[in-house]
Amino acid sequence: RIIILFYLKQWYQRRVRGCKSTKIKEGPGLDYFITSSIDKQVKKERKRLPRWLQTEIPKGKNYSRLKNDLRSLNLSTVCEEARCPNIGECWGGGETNTATATIMLMGDECTRGCRFCSVKTSKDPGPLDPLEPYNTAKAVSSWGVQYIVLTSVDRDDITDGGASHLAECVKELKIQVPDLLIEVLTPDFRGDLNAVHCLATSGLDVFAHNLETVNRLQAFVRDPRANYKQSMNVLVKAKDSSPNLLTKTSLMLGLGETDDEIIQTMEDLRKNSVDVVTFGQYMQPTKRHLKVKEYVTPEKFKHWEELGMQMGFAYVASGPLVRSSYKAGEFYIKNIIEKQRGVVSE
């Protein structure tokens, strides 16, 4: 038995050596390995972030204080959940040294799964926090701001999509800070126009709902339960419910849209009396999300801003780092509201 095993081992070793020599003779040359390594690198590479999109790491006393305030009151922010590049500027206070955040209501888990968004998803996010309206008002009143943006996850598991809860948050804020201007970036409530009416008449000042992208890319970018027509109907209903309400939407650029498609979207918005539009660069939050097709230049963003103003929008914010709830735009929208109210009172 030992002799048989010995000869079998020798036979196996000769066969392996023969296979190796054959593979070396018939195998690929050096060129193959060079090109293969380059191809692999190209496939792995993501588009390099241009200098105009590079931001500083968030830090500072205001940043730390704001973060602690939010955690102590069990509040979430879209700034963190959506990995906003402007978090350092807004939370740090910027030039005015007034720190602010966009509070994300109804929890930090969304029932939708859009391919551009890094917010956590869940079929059953759990019950709403009944103390959220009070805690939100408490946090905002301590910041001393004149303008606040509230947003929320989608809650398709709730009958009205959470519209009545959002309305309660607005009302509580107005009680604690009467002069505060409130913008709410809303879900689409599955197209429930009664839910839209409930929130639009709650006392908020700006009703924002994002189209996100052009019509052709809707199914590719957003959750299947969202679509262009439904979102446009939400904006129309908000204006019908409260004619003096400012309506606002936002588009991400760099997803493969064409100039003609952007222009068509802007025309559709003006036909439906949307007052404010913002344009910002789509930035891939993780490798699991949609890849960036193009980094749009600051000059191109400036073009969309100028065209939007020519088309009759009350305000257009357009830039690589602009987001729908970007602090820098609040000053201009605040002035629009104050002028509008001055005309109405006269």
Side-chain angles (χ1 to χ4, degrees), residues 318-331:
S318 182
L321 290 172
V322 167
R323 295 295 178 265
S324 55
S325 53
Y326 188 29
K327 179 180 176 180
E330 295 172 4
F331 171 78

Side-chain angles (χ1 to χ4, degrees), residues 87-195:
I87 188 170
E89 179 181 349
C90 294
W91 287 32
E95 295 178 1
T96 62
N97 206 39
T98 303
T100 187
T102 298
I103 296 177
M104 190 167 70
L105 303 171
M106 303 198 293
D108 61 356
E109 293 182 323
C110 185
T111 53
R112 303 279 177 94
C114 296
R115 297 184 65 197
F116 65 88
C117 183
S118 62
V119 174
K120 296 188 289 289
T121 60
S122 173
K123 290 182 180 179
D124 184 19
L128 298 176
D129 179 4
L131 294 176
E132 191 169 55
Y134 174 79
N135 285 338
T136 300
K138 182 179 178 182
V140 173
S141 63
S142 70
W143 297 341
V145 295
Q146 298 175 310
Y147 191 110
I148 190 67
V149 181
L150 306 176
T151 187
S152 79
V153 291
D154 279 275
R155 291 298 300 262
D156 297 309
D157 58 315
I158 301 173
T159 304
D160 67 349
S164 56
H165 182 83
L166 295 176
E168 284 303 313
C169 291
V170 172
K171 290 172 184 176
E172 184 64 34
L173 269 167
K174 287 290 186 178
I175 290 170
Q176 293 201 33
V177 195
D179 295 330
L180 182 70
L181 296 178
I182 303 172
E183 174 183 330
V184 182
L185 177 57
T186 79
D188 61 17
F189 305 114
R190 301 187 304 274
D192 181 351
L193 299 184
N194 290 327

Side-chain angles (χ1 to χ4, degrees), residues 211 228 232 236 239 247 249 263-277 307-316:
L211 287 176
Y228 189 85
M232 198 68 77
V236 170
K239 179 69 81 174
T247 50
T249 195
I263 292 169
Q264 182 61 59
T265 304
M266 294 169 76
E267 289 175 350
D268 292 343
L269 291 169
R270 288 307 302 135
K271 286 176 186 176
N272 289 297
S273 302
V274 175
D275 302 294
V276 178
V277 63
L307 180 61
M309 295 305 294
Q310 290 171 15
M311 293 174 71
F313 286 99
Y315 174 63
V316 181

Side-chain angles (χ1 to χ4, degrees), residues 5-70:
L5 288 172
F6 173 77
Y7 282 111
L8 280 172
K9 185 179 178 181
Q10 283 194 326
W11 172 80
Y12 178 77
Q13 288 175 341
R14 284 196 300 270
R15 184 173 180 184
V16 169
R17 282 196 296 270
C19 288
K20 282 184 179 179
S21 61
T22 302
K23 284 183 179 179
I24 290 170
K25 289 177 182 177
E26 298 177 359
L30 181 62
D31 289 342
Y32 171 84
F33 294 101
I34 294 173
T35 54
S36 292
S37 63
I38 292 172
D39 289 341
K40 287 176 184 176
Q41 285 180 352
V42 169
K43 287 179 182 178
K44 287 182 180 179
E45 278 182 6
R46 296 162 73 184
K47 282 186 177 292
R48 192 175 183 84
L49 202 66
R51 54 180 173 73
W52 59 78
L53 286 171
Q54 296 170 13
T55 56
E56 293 182 3
I57 297 172
K59 57 185 177 181
K61 291 181 180 179
N62 280 337
Y63 177 85
S64 300
R65 177 181 61 82
L66 195 58
K67 189 168 187 175
N68 291 334
D69 286 350
L70 292 163

